[in-house]
Amino acid sequence: MKHYDFAPRFEQIYLRAVARYGQGVRQAAGLFDATETAWLAANGLTSQHLFDYAEDHAGYGEPGLAEAVAIETLRHSYFLDFQQGHWTGATIDPAKMPAKSDTAGGIPWLARLIPKTKAKLRGELPTSLMYGCAGDRAFFREHDIGPSEFLGLVFRHEQDDAAIIAWVKARRQAAR
């Protein structure tokens, strides 16, 4: 695992995932060889993360390579700096997530997005959830927030939901 070459290595793996998805690979488990899977794990990632990007790349053209690099660079930093390169072993229970219609600070989707983003940061998303999915992207677009920008916000305020909500409210006002 190396810091300096993380982004270009991630880019190579992302592009392989997109190509392999385009060739018909439709399961995360079949997307990478053992060396690639080991590199992902050593850097706080899973094949599922790349599968989700490849699937949405093929279906929507989003979030795209640049945004994926930005998101995963933040995750990588959290993994190495705060988790000392070790998985927590936990995943959040999707059944316990706030509903898509729940609000935080009166803002729909935000009540769900905050714990989902924290789980992304910690590497605790189950395979059934993707950070930056179509629903998340609709929220980000509506509020003029980049997905990696929001992940960075949560990184800075992980223990302070009120600060996250206040920031989003301010951005929401500016976007109108």
Side-chain angles (χ1 to χ4, degrees), residues 23-151:
Q23 294 165 353
V25 177
R26 295 295 186 264
Q27 293 184 343
L31 211 50
F32 300 109
D33 64 29
T35 302
E36 293 162 331
T37 302
W39 184 88
L40 290 169
N43 286 281
L45 298 163
T46 68
S47 296
Q48 186 66 46
H49 294 130
L50 277 291
F51 178 82
D52 289 340
Y53 285 131
E55 184 177 46
D56 277 21
H57 183 98
Y60 307 103
E62 293 185 88
L65 174 60
E67 193 61 45
V69 168
I71 289 168
E72 298 307 338
T73 298
L74 284 166
R75 164 66 189 132
H76 179 251
S77 178
Y78 188 92
F79 178 68
L80 296 180
D81 296 339
F82 290 93
Q83 296 178 311
Q84 271 76 60
H86 300 287
W87 293 96
T88 65
T91 56
I92 61 170
D93 182 352
K96 294 182 179 177
M97 288 284 294
K100 295 174 181 180
S101 59
D102 287 352
T103 65
I107 303 171
W109 199 269
L110 188 56
R112 181 178 181 84
L113 187 58
I114 291 172
K116 184 178 180 184
T117 305
K118 289 178 183 183
K120 171 61 180 175
L121 196 56
R122 296 175 185 148
E124 297 176 351
L125 281 178
T127 59
S128 62
L129 292 176
M130 175 191 178
Y131 178 75
C133 69
D136 294 348
R137 292 191 305 268
F139 174 90
F140 294 138
R141 204 171 1 267
E142 178 182 348
H143 300 289
D144 193 28
I145 301 169
S148 59
E149 180 182 26
F150 190 78
L151 186 65

Side-chain angles (χ1 to χ4, degrees), residues 2-18:
K2 294 181 181 179
H3 296 279
Y4 183 77
D5 70 347
F6 174 80
R9 290 284 310 273
F10 177 82
E11 181 177 335
Q12 291 170 349
I13 287 180
Y14 176 99
L15 293 172
R16 276 189 221 121
V18 168

